[in-house]
Amino acid sequence: MLLIAFGGLAVWITTVNSQQFVQELEQKLQHGLAANLAHELAPALRHGAEGAPVEAAARDLQAVNPSLELYVLDAHGNLIAYLMGDKPLARQHVAIAPIEAFLGGAAPLPIRGDDPSEATARKIFSAARVDIGPAVDGHYRRGYLYVILHGMPYASQASMLHESYIVRAGAITLAIAVAFAAVVGLLLFALLTRRFRKLTATVTRFKAGQFDQRVADGAGDEIGRLGRVFNDMAATIQAQVEALKRTDATRRELVANVSHDLRTPLTSLRGYAERLRARLGDGNPDSRECLDAILNNADKLERLIAQLSLLSRLDAQQLKPSFEAFPVTELVQDILVKFSPEAEGRGIVLTADCAPGLPAVRADVALVERALSNLIDNALLNTEAGGCVCVGLVERGGRLHVAVTDNGRGIPEEELSLVMQRFYRTAHSRTKGGTGTGLGLSIAGEIVELHGSRLELTSRIGVGTTVRFSLPVARR
């Protein structure tokens, strides 16, 4: 585009300059034309600018050169006579300044003057001083013989041919230059971008997880330096990824060992606490209250250990879903029955919205139960007394869509992308001393992914939260 723009500008400048040169040359060659014509017309003009002598002399000149346009002007530039030509006149006055500059000989050519046959046109000319009769008291009027060089018919044709040649030559030159530049430019760009394409391909593979990818370009230019910087960065990232993998493996092993090792002492603790409570009976209420608190905390610790154990199995990919067909409606009802005492104790309405005739799903019953239990437990924890938690089921597109909705406090928008992370607890849960562990949504999300879906959260502060996922429908 730049080449075409500059080429067009060059053609325009060449055309303008060539026109300027042709007009300058033409005016120089015919500089004395008006003086020669004035010498031929001087006897006739002494009898007056109009009349038979002047008309006869003009006809003789027109026979020799029919392209000339001759005008007789007074000393102020007013048109007195139009000697040669039959075109209609557009103005009766011609500016004197260009004529005086032409006769003075100091101004550079070309000098353009007014063309009486056109209202705004300015053309090259030749001029000479003449005496115009009849004489008054022995003195003739001073005036000018004004000659438009190459009158309008000839000038327009010559200009058309001249410009056509210039434009045609410029267009051909520009087309050749553009074609040559395009071919050479494409070859140069291909050579220059080949290394960039290799670098881009390496970066793309690195982005896809192939952290051993490196750039083999060892040149000393900017592309080579960029490749070496990328190699250094890739080596650093690979080392960090390997360190993270080792740390993650250590964490998984620690979680698995801790969740396993805590089961035995926790079972023993629960057993001793239950034996002490059975011995106390109804006596000593303070001791019984303390034992109840121990057992409640033992239950929470047992649930946490179960979640950690499940999480470690999911991390190690040791948990293989056992897919089978089952009616999810019945599973939802069983889970609601399990959570009904807790919901009633909190003053929350727990309901199900299941359309009749829903098909069975093909999934792992235990894992789906765990995911739904975690979602309902989270909804109950984040809903105030008088609120409602609803589990909705609907079939659409060959899958059964499940939605757990509450009208609780909601999740801030800036925390929606974080609540799926492990051990993350919302700001409200941290400040209000919530009992959540931050694992429920993470475990539910991984279970749902094993069934070819993902958790979708929508929430508004003060309105509530909805968590959705889907399960494949079993073939009938």
Side-chain angles (χ1 to χ4, degrees), residues 171-203:
I172 293 174
T173 303
L174 180 60
I176 294 174
V178 169
F180 177 77
V183 173
V184 175
L186 288 175
L187 292 176
L188 290 176
F189 277 123
L191 293 174
L192 290 173
T193 58
R194 179 178 60 183
R195 293 162 64 196
F196 275 119
R197 290 195 298 271
K198 292 181 179 179
L199 178 60
T200 302
T202 302
V203 174

Side-chain angles (χ1 to χ4, degrees), residues 348-361:
I348 300 173
V349 177
L350 186 59
T351 62
D353 182 12
C354 305
L358 289 176
V361 298

Side-chain angles (χ1 to χ4, degrees), residues 225-285:
R225 289 196 293 271
L226 178 61
R228 287 191 291 275
V229 171
F230 169 79
N231 289 340
D232 294 340
M233 180 194 69
T236 302
I237 293 177
Q238 186 178 18
Q240 293 175 347
V241 169
E242 294 298 330
L244 288 174
K245 287 181 178 179
R246 291 192 296 270
T247 302
D248 190 56
T250 304
R251 178 191 59 79
R252 292 178 182 178
E253 184 179 359
L254 176 63
V255 169
N257 293 335
V258 168
S259 61
H260 179 269
D261 294 341
L262 285 178
R263 290 182 182 275
T264 300
L266 181 61
T267 303
S268 177
L269 178 64
R270 170 185 288 278
Y272 283 120
E274 289 177 349
R275 287 175 59 186
L276 286 174
R277 188 175 62 174
R279 289 181 181 181
L280 289 175
D282 296 333
N284 200 343

